[in-house]
Amino acid sequence: MEKEIFVLVGFWEIILSIFMQWQAYTISNIKTFSVQSWILGIFLLWAGVFHGFIALIILALLTIITRAIAMPLYLGNTIRKQIYRARENKHRISTGLSILISLLLAVFGYLVYYLILAGHGQSLVSIPITLMLQGAFLIVSRSNAYSQLIGYLVMENSMFLLSFLFSELPFIVEAGIILDVLGVVVVAGLLMRVRDEDIEKEEELLG
């Protein structure tokens, strides 16, 4: 049952990442990331209850509070004060081509697993690999600083799933807390940089 739930969670995480490539409005990507984090947090909460591991339950609640609620709210409020950032005006790659590349990355993620990691017995590892590639592509395909930040946070979500497959539960908790703290630091650092930039330069943060 745990395997089936993991596949379902991974499937929706990837679908939502591909959906982000469709969006021109930054706030839509922030909301989509929030949904991703809710799904991840609920999955970790279920796993913590299923295994009777209190620390994992705490991690799940921390994930929901920081990644599903606090970060999206903070980023959303910041964008509302900076209207010129609300829509991505300069796409490095067209929307149609971005979606096509995202689909090809999903295939590539499975090939990486099949050709390199299949012998290690983790048949589900292609899911976090694919999600990580989707996050990295979101970073390099967008010029808006907030969209690039969302790509980074999507990559962090993939690390949660990867840790769940390869590590004992205590390590998942430690890694998860580090990722949450690191995410908060990255958000704060990026927003400080954005605040200090001129409006003419606001679109460019090279990934």
Side-chain angles (χ1 to χ4, degrees):
M1 180 178 179
E2 188 174 41
K3 179 178 179 180
E4 287 75 11
I5 294 177
F6 183 92
V7 170
L8 183 62
V9 169
F11 172 79
W12 281 109
E13 294 280 305
I14 293 171
I15 290 297
L16 290 171
S17 296
I18 295 175
F19 178 73
M20 289 181 187
Q21 294 292 346
W22 202 300
Q23 302 301 309
Y25 288 93
T26 307
I27 193 67
S28 297
N29 278 347
I30 293 174
K31 291 178 179 178
T32 303
F33 168 74
S34 178
V35 173
Q36 269 193 335
S37 298
W38 271 106
I39 293 174
L40 178 63
I42 291 172
F43 170 67
L44 293 176
L45 183 61
W46 172 84
V49 173
F50 181 79
H51 291 283
F53 190 34
I54 301 299
L56 188 56
I57 296 175
I58 295 174
L59 173 61
L61 296 176
L62 180 62
T63 299
I64 291 172
I65 292 171
T66 59
R67 305 175 73 81
I69 299 175
M71 287 183 187
L73 282 177
Y74 186 65
L75 291 174
N77 290 334
T78 303
I79 286 180
R80 291 185 184 95
K81 298 175 183 177
Q82 301 173 343
I83 302 301
Y84 54 86
R85 292 182 182 275
R87 180 182 175 90
E88 183 138 13
N89 296 317
K90 295 185 291 184
H91 287 268
R92 295 177 182 173
I93 303 175
S94 66
T95 301
L97 182 57
S98 294
I99 294 173
L100 176 60
I101 293 175
S102 294
L103 295 174
L104 292 176
L105 285 175
V107 176
F108 179 74
Y110 177 77
L111 290 177
V112 169
Y113 154 73
Y114 183 78
L115 296 175
I116 300 176
L117 299 171
H120 295 274
Q122 288 290 351
S123 60
L124 301 178
V125 74
S126 60
I127 293 175
I129 288 177
T130 299
L131 186 60
M132 186 179 300
L133 292 173
Q134 299 293 339
F137 181 60
L138 188 63
I139 293 174
V140 301
S141 65
R142 297 301 184 98
S143 57
N144 185 288
Y146 288 90
S147 295
Q148 293 176 340
L149 175 60
I150 293 301
Y152 167 78
L153 294 174
V154 169
M155 292 181 69
E156 282 192 341
N157 282 352
S158 73
M159 294 305 298
F160 275 92
L161 295 178
L162 191 64
S163 298
F164 193 87
L165 290 177
F166 279 98
S167 306
E168 297 296 329
L169 292 181
F171 178 80
I172 299 174
V173 174
E174 295 172 6
I177 292 174
I178 291 173
L179 287 173
D180 275 335
V181 173
L182 182 60
V184 171
V185 171
V186 169
V187 169
L190 183 139
L191 293 180
M192 288 294 294
R193 178 175 175 179
V194 165
R195 188 191 66 179
D196 293 336
E197 288 177 340
D198 295 331
I199 292 180
E200 290 78 12
K201 300 178 182 178
E202 40 81 13
E203 290 291 342
E204 321 323 321
L205 276 183
L206 297 180

